Amino acid sequence: MIISNPKGTQDFLPPYSEQKHYLETQFRKVVALYGFSEIVTPCFEHTELFLRSTGLTTDIVTKQIYSFTDKGGRDLTLRPEGTPGVVRAFLQNNLKPPLRLFYIGPMFRYEKPQKGRYREFYQLGIEVIGEAHPQTDVEVIEMGLNFFSAVNVKDLVVKVNSVGCALCRNRFRSDLIFYLNTVRDKICEDCKARLERNPLRVFDCKETTCQELYQSAPKIADYLCYDCQNHFQIVLQELTERNLPFELDKMMVRGLDYYTRTTFEYVPSLSTALGAQDSLGGGGRYDNLIEDFGGPKIPAIGFALGLERILIYLGNPTLPRKNLVYLIPLDGESEKQAKQLLRQLRTSEIPAILNLPDKNLRSGLGIADNLSCEYVIIIGSEEMKKQVYTVKQLSTKSQQEVPQDKIIEFFNQTFTKQSTKEF
Ligand code: AMP
């Protein structure tokens, strides 16, 4: 029996693997324009790190973490999100704020697998550590939008909200509890438990009945203290001034405990490709997390974008053929020439493959097609006599003779022209 991949995971096969690489490259380009540097942290951390940051009452920690004890008896967890590891690394290495960091990597959550929701998935994320000003919030929201636009996700709206600070939450909590008690017999069992442990988390509930009931519940954004209100006003004003597509969504609290003040989510406004899992990414401020980890009081903000969801949104890629040359010599003499040409091409950074002696012209052309080569070079006795190469372009099915001493120049020119093609 063939062993299959674990439930909720997937293989990235070409062309998706290449499209994934393309998204990562575009992300790197956009964040570089905003001065971000890469951070790479381990895929697993001490379990305690997530309990203390993501939050003991969040769905991620109560239901979704992949935890295990290693052979040395350590309690470890596959990271369900990037921020806790980045903050740990920041403190452990005494990094100096302000800092702009980005990361790309797999995250793990034990979820019920469905379209757009996996147990292993990739996130493209950023963190700005050490900036409190609301303008930073808008800068990162804008950067996310610029990335989406660079990869052709154009119908996005950013849902924004403010979840305030501890002061705002204290005032809000008692009103929310009062409201939840009035509808207690109508809410789901999970929400009843949330009501006891952390009432704010009821807004994470996916049940339609609960969602409808909470439309009339008090909202944290209406309980902001003076400073949080002021911060949020500047964010909204700046978003408007920069003409960014946003809408206020007071129901959106995001499923992590450490958020303070601004929270946001990128959601397609037109496309329905993603169904219920429509959020392409989200983030928010976490002004207390570093202090909660035992560090100094340093404000921060970040976001994470879901790579698989972006791939689903974009649909099946039509992958252009590769800048790859397939050499087919037709006899012993031309094979010697082809081997020399192969070295010459690769030294000039032109990707090339040589047809093996046990394959004829027909099967060579088949392999070239299968490997998505754009060009095939055929070398036979005719070509050797005329000191040319026959160059076949597979996408156009055209063919031309190129003088042997002009072949590098030929590919250098055609390949530079093509590399500007969009994915
Ligand atoms: P979160 O860390 O929950 O705020 O998620 C940020 C983004 O990661 C979401 O907007 C999704 O695009 C993506 N994401 C979260 N969970 C999953 C999952 N289980 N499978 C695929 N993508 C996910």
Side-chain angles (χ1 to χ4, degrees):
M1 202 184 65
I2 296 170
I3 299 169
S4 59
N5 61 317
K7 193 172 170 188
T9 67
Q10 55 182 332
D11 302 313
F12 282 94
L13 308 173
Y16 291 99
S17 50
E18 311 207 348
Q19 202 185 13
K20 170 177 175 290
H21 183 80
Y22 166 79
L23 291 182
E24 292 171 358
T25 310
Q26 292 302 112
F27 185 71
R28 284 172 189 277
K29 275 193 196 160
V30 173
V31 299
L33 290 174
Y34 287 75
F36 282 71
S37 310
E38 185 169 18
I39 180 164
V40 182
T41 63
C43 281
F44 58 88
E45 297 271 358
H46 290 290
T47 300
E48 197 194 344
L49 183 81
F50 302 109
L51 304 188
R52 278 178 52 190
S53 51
T54 312
L56 281 170
T57 58
T58 56
D59 277 1
I60 295 182
V61 165
T62 53
K63 301 180 190 163
Q64 298 170 351
I65 54 173
Y66 274 96
S67 297
F68 60 99
T69 310
D70 76 358
K71 290 191 172 69
R74 299 170 195 92
D75 282 331
L76 301 172
T77 291
L78 298 184
R79 61 179 181 194
E81 51 143 344
T83 306
V86 173
V87 169
R88 180 209 39 77
F90 167 77
L91 284 171
Q92 190 178 337
N93 295 290
N94 284 319
L95 301 182
K96 191 171 162 289
L99 265 184
R100 293 176 164 228
L101 301 170
F102 79 91
Y103 59 87
I104 298 175
M107 306 294 155
F108 308 86
R109 295 184 195 173
Y110 191 78
E111 305 217 54
K112 202 165 149 212
Q114 52 193 287
K115 187 174 176 192
R117 195 167 280 284
Y118 309 102
R119 292 185 173 171
E120 183 192 39
F121 59 98
Y122 282 77
Q123 283 189 335
L124 310 160
I126 63 103
E127 313 290 352
V128 178
I129 299 180
E131 298 288 8
H133 199 278
Q135 210 149 305
T136 304
D137 309 19
V138 180
E139 167 128 317
V140 303
I141 292 174
E142 178 195 80
M143 181 172 73
L145 284 168
N146 282 345
F147 162 72
F148 281 118
S149 146
V151 299
N152 258 327
V153 177
K154 297 232 155 98
D155 69 325
L156 274 196
V157 62
V158 192
K159 294 191 172 177
V160 288
N161 193 18
S162 174
V163 294
C165 63
L167 192 67
C168 320
R169 263 174 241 178
N170 271 344
R171 298 194 304 152
F172 168 63
R173 209 180 130 88
S174 49
D175 282 8
L176 179 64
I177 293 175
F178 180 83
Y179 174 83
L180 291 174
N181 276 320
T182 64
V183 293
R184 199 170 205 286
D185 41 345
K186 298 191 193 119
I187 61 181
C188 71
E189 288 308 307
D190 272 358
C191 280
K192 282 185 187 134
R194 289 175 178 127
L195 169 56
E196 301 307 325
R197 300 181 66 192
N198 185 355
L200 250 166
R201 293 265 68 92
V202 297
F203 291 99
D204 296 337
C205 187
K206 306 280 179 309
E207 298 286 330
T208 335
T209 335
C210 295
Q211 280 289 319
E212 276 163 17
L213 283 170
Y214 304 149
Q215 298 282 345
S216 345
K219 308 287 179 328
I220 179 78
D222 297 323
Y223 287 76
L224 300 183
C225 66
Y226 179 80
D227 286 347
C228 288
Q229 179 64 35
N230 196 29
H231 185 100
F232 197 37
Q233 276 315 317
I234 299 175
V235 169
L236 296 177
Q237 199 179 318
E238 187 88 12
L239 286 168
T240 313
E241 273 168 23
R242 296 194 195 189
N243 219 0
L244 300 177
F246 75 96
E247 68 189 35
L248 181 61
D249 181 354
K250 292 185 181 178
M251 288 277 282
M252 195 219 17
V253 295
R254 313 232 343 104
L256 308 170
D257 270 359
Y258 52 67
Y259 283 127
T260 52
R261 296 192 166 170
T262 318
T263 53
F264 54 96
E265 229 165 64
Y266 297 99
V267 183
S269 57
L270 302 171
S271 164
T272 51
L274 283 151
Q277 316 305 319
D278 64 349
S279 156
L280 291 180
R285 271 206 164 271
Y286 51 95
D287 289 346
N288 301 328
L289 182 61
I290 296 173
E291 198 178 16
D292 292 347
F293 270 5
K297 178 143 186 62
I298 296 176
I301 182 166
F303 68 57
L305 315 178
L307 191 136
E308 288 80 358
R309 295 221 188 143
I310 305 173
L311 291 179
I312 296 174
Y313 174 97
L314 292 173
N316 289 343
T318 43
L319 191 68
R321 282 182 177 273
K322 282 204 181 85
N323 284 346
L324 179 59
V325 185
Y326 198 85
L327 309 187
I328 310 183
L330 300 179
D331 53 41
E333 202 45 40
S334 6
E335 196 190 343
K336 272 193 220 141
Q337 177 72 21
K339 281 183 177 160
Q340 199 189 325
L341 173 60
L342 181 71
R343 272 196 301 274
Q344 202 188 347
L345 288 168
R346 288 179 179 161
T347 316
S348 313
E349 296 189 356
I350 298 164
I353 309 175
L354 178 63
N355 197 35
L356 291 168
D358 60 353
K359 310 273 184 321
N360 61 19
L361 173 64
R362 211 180 127 91
S363 49
L365 286 171
I367 297 171
D369 188 41
N370 206 27
L371 295 175
S372 281
C373 299
E374 173 68 333
Y375 287 95
V376 172
I377 294 182
I378 299 169
I379 318 168
S381 52
E382 263 308 288
E383 283 81 4
M384 292 292 283
K385 225 189 292 159
K386 288 161 72 182
Q387 302 225 324
V388 296
Y389 296 122
T390 296
V391 179
K392 247 173 124 56
Q393 189 172 2
L394 295 190
S395 61
T396 59
K397 300 202 166 45
S398 58
Q399 187 166 310
Q400 61 182 302
E401 286 183 350
V402 177
Q404 290 189 354
D405 57 353
K406 295 274 180 302
I407 196 76
I408 300 294
E409 208 178 307
F410 171 83
F411 283 117
N412 275 339
Q413 279 173 5
T414 31
F415 283 176
T416 354
K417 254 186 261 155
Q418 286 197 2
S419 62
T420 51
K421 258 192 212 167
E422 283 225 343
F423 196 87

